[in-house]
């Protein structure tokens, strides 16, 4: 992709996602995450109207009257975008690839963060860490993130979610708001997600295509595995083949939902032909 075409693409995504973050997500992001980055300040006596969830029961028991913990809001938060750029992200049977939807969502979240004066960082991964951009503030930094999301060419086409989570836990020493964007066609990441979830505020955003979950009856067709590059002849006319395909897809999506829930992390699932705007807004409102 030449520079002119790249800049045109970046500008197009900037216009669309910045408008969303300014008019829709900025306020929702602020109310959802501001106040979650809190540091302990002091203990004081309970006053009428205080949140009873803030009661310090140890101090209350010691003095035989209610005391609450007082927290101060941290001035700024850090958002990390952890984005899957493996081969399966370049699949799509609707208007765009999963990768395009992932880029738009990531850009919207990034603009929402800088609007609230927070830092944004990026981790691109396949079955290895492909690129790490440390968190920074500012529009030019977000535009660089968008450029990388559009044009970065991964060394590998395979996926290892556990590897990305391990890197995140090692590199981010302070608590961060983490959005992991992938189709989550992987498993065996329960342990590393639990470690990351204990330290950070993690949300998994699963972006998928309708044909990730079921294949139409087209008879014998050659299918290319996006992550290995191998071509297989598949009999889509076979009901058992279609059932097995669907069962495997449902197994992975169920693993995603269950594993994130068990780790205390949030989940969003959006199909490329659905409105991710509604999904994100609904999630922010529930979480806020």
């Amino acid at each position: 992709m030449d520079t002119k075409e790249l800049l045109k693409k970046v500008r197009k995504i900037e216009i669309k996602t910045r408008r969303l973050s300014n008019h829709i997500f900025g306020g929702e992001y602020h109310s959802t995450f501001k106040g979650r980055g809190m540091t302990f300040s002091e203990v004081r006596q309970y006053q009428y109207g205080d949140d009873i969830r803030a009661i310090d029961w140890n101090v209350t028991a010691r003095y035989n009257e209610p005391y609450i913990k007082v927290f101060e809001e941290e001035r700024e938060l850090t958002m990390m975008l952890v984005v899957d750029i493996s081969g399966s992200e370049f699949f799509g049977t609707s208007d765009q690839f999963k990768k395009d939807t992932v880029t738009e969502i990531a850009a919207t979240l990034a603009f929402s963060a800088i609007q609230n004066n927070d830092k944004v960082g990026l981790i691109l991964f396949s079955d290895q860490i492909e690129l790490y951009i440390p968190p920074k503030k500012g529009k030019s930094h977000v535009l660089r993130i968008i450029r990388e999301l559009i044009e970065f060419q991964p060394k590998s086409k395979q996926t290892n979610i556990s590897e990305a989570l391990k890197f995140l836990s090692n590199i981010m020493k302070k608590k961060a708001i983490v959005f992991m964007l992938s189709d989550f066609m992987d498993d065996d990441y329960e342990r590393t997600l639990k470690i990351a979830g204990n330290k950070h505020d993690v949300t998994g955003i699963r972006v998928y295509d309708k044909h990730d979950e079921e294949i139409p009856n087209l008879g014998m067709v050659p299918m290319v595995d996006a992550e290995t590059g191998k071509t297989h002849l598949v009999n889509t006319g076979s009901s058992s083949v279609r059932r097995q395909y669907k069962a495997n897809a449902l197994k992975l999506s169920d693993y995603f939902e269950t594993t994130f829930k068990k780790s205390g992390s949030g989940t969003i699932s959006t199909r490329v032909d659905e409105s991710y705007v509604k999904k994100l807004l609904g999630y922010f409102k529930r979480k806020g």
Side-chain angles (χ1 to χ4, degrees), residues 3-18:
T3 308
K4 193 175 177 182
E5 190 185 346
L6 174 63
L7 290 173
K8 194 176 171 183
K9 274 198 166 189
V10 171
R11 182 66 181 147
K12 188 179 175 185
I13 288 172
E14 182 195 357
I15 290 166
K16 180 177 180 179
T17 59
R18 210 168 176 194

Side-chain angles (χ1 to χ4, degrees), residues 158-176:
Q158 299 190 31
T159 312
N160 189 325
I161 288 168
S162 189
E163 202 60 38
L165 289 165
K166 206 182 294 179
F167 180 82
L168 170 74
S169 295
N170 288 338
I171 206 79
M172 296 302 295
K173 301 305 178 190
K174 287 182 71 178
K175 183 176 180 177

Side-chain angles (χ1 to χ4, degrees), residues 12 18 27 88 96 103 132 149 156 211 221 223 268 278:
K12 188 179 175 185
R18 210 168 176 194
S88 62
Q96 58 184 10
T103 298
Y132 169 59
L149 287 165
S156 172
H211 290 313
V221 292
M223 290 191 173
I268 302 169
K278 287 180 183 175

Side-chain angles (χ1 to χ4, degrees), residues 2 5 11 17 34 129 181 213 242 280 285:
D2 63 35
E5 190 185 346
R11 182 66 181 147
T17 59
K34 285 296 182 186
I129 302 306
L181 296 98
E213 297 196 328
R242 293 199 305 277
L280 284 176
K285 281 187 165 74

Side-chain angles (χ1 to χ4, degrees), residues 29 74 76-80 113 118-121 135-136 172 174-178:
Y29 168 88
E74 290 182 359
E76 63 183 38
L77 301 174
T78 297
M79 177 192 285
M80 283 303 302
D118 293 338
K119 295 177 183 174
V120 187
K136 276 177 68 176
M172 296 302 295
K174 287 182 71 178
K175 183 176 180 177
I177 297 162
V178 177

